[in-house]
């Protein structure tokens, strides 16, 4: 049964946030607190190899690669630039352990099937919560 209060709150949230969402449709935006562990989802999964990149001030860094072997349903880690800071889930999501300032920026996942060509997924923008988002501010 539909909970009317939840429905009302949901509508309120949408009414409140829709103007913000319109500005960020080109990339997903994720807000975190420093020190949190976070998981970034890759929206492409139909590939045998998944690669995660961070883009930060004009530098593209390869963080993690994971592969899925024949007949296996899950991905396993192949390369990790910093094992104490990154991890990958069996579904190829990137885990960042205890987010720091240097983690802020854009993240891309890519998929590859025994070729040089990499198909990139949706970019994810990571930022700390509490920053000023002038486009999304509502007067009190
Ligand atoms: C984050 O993950 C690490 C490693 O898995 C764990 O030791 C730590 O307790 C986690 N921290 C939080 C805030 O969940
Ligand atoms: C990549 O390879 C897998 C396994 O061989 C296959 O199931 C999948 O359809 C391929 N994906 C693409 C986009 O070619
Ligand atoms: C794949 O991952 C799922 C959930 O993470 C787990 O339940 C399952 O046992 C894994 N399968 C294999 C073959 O490792
Ligand atoms: C790896 O991550 C740890 C903690 O997350 C950090 O202290 C260390 O400096 C990192 N190492 C490198 C080479 O970036
Ligand atoms: C994070 O938020 C701050 C404050 O709004 C902004 O100046 C900065 O450009 C943002 N950084 C990223 C990577 O989006
Ligand atoms: C992933 O997201 C991108 C950007 O929105 C989109 O172009 C692409 O079709 C998506 N891929 C899948 C498999 O959903």
């Amino acid at each position: 049964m539909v909970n009317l209060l939840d429905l009302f709150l949901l509508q309120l949230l949408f009414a409140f946030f829709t103007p913000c969402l319109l500005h960020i449709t080109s990339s997903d935006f994720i807000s975190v607190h420093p020190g949190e562990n976070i998981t970034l989802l890759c929206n492409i999964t139909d590939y045998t190899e998944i690669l995660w990149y961070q883009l930060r001030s004009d530098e593209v860094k390869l963080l993690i690669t994971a592969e899925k072997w024949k007949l296996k349903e899950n991905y396993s880690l192949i390369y990790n630039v910093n094992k104490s800071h990154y991890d990958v889930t069996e579904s190829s999501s990137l885990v960042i352990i205890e987010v720091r300032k240097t983690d802020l920026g854009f993240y891309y996942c890519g998929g590859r099937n025994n070729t040089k060509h990499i198909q990139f997924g949706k970019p994810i923008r990571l930022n700390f919560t509490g920053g000023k988002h002038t486009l999304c501010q509502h007067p009190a």
Side-chain angles (χ1 to χ4, degrees):
M1 216 176 82
V2 180
N3 184 323
L4 282 178
L5 184 64
D6 283 352
L7 203 64
F8 172 73
L9 286 174
L10 206 66
Q11 278 174 347
L12 201 69
L13 280 173
F14 267 97
F16 199 75
F17 286 116
T18 302
C20 296
L21 289 174
L22 289 177
H23 292 288
I24 55 162
T25 43
S26 53
S27 68
D28 279 347
F29 179 73
I30 295 187
S31 261
V32 291
H33 293 284
E36 257 184 286
N37 291 349
I38 55 157
T39 302
L40 306 182
L41 298 177
C42 184
N43 80 333
I44 49 174
T45 50
D46 204 17
Y47 291 88
T48 50
E49 186 184 9
I50 295 289
L51 310 93
W52 274 99
Y53 295 90
Q54 182 192 17
L55 171 68
R56 189 169 174 268
S57 48
D58 299 336
E59 186 198 6
V60 178
K61 194 163 103 182
L62 177 65
L63 307 176
I64 278 219
T65 68
E67 272 182 30
K68 186 156 71 170
W69 309 108
K70 266 196 184 115
L71 305 175
K72 285 239 177 125
E73 49 182 326
N74 295 331
Y75 289 92
S76 44
L77 182 75
I78 299 295
Y79 169 79
N80 188 346
V81 72
N82 188 343
K83 284 198 169 82
S84 57
H85 196 52
Y86 304 107
D87 202 357
V88 71
T89 69
E90 286 164 329
S91 60
S92 80
S93 298
L94 174 70
V95 178
I96 305 175
I97 298 156
E98 290 166 6
V99 173
R100 302 169 285 181
K101 197 162 186 288
T102 48
D103 294 321
L104 302 184
F106 286 86
Y107 289 81
Y108 295 82
C109 70
R112 186 156 72 171
N113 256 4
N114 309 313
T115 53
K116 289 243 188 292
H117 176 76
I118 298 176
Q119 176 70 49
F120 285 101
K122 204 174 189 168
I124 300 169
R125 200 181 106 186
L126 188 68
N127 209 341
F128 286 146
T129 42
K132 278 191 177 171
H133 303 288
T134 42
L135 286 172
C136 298
Q137 265 178 357
H138 293 264

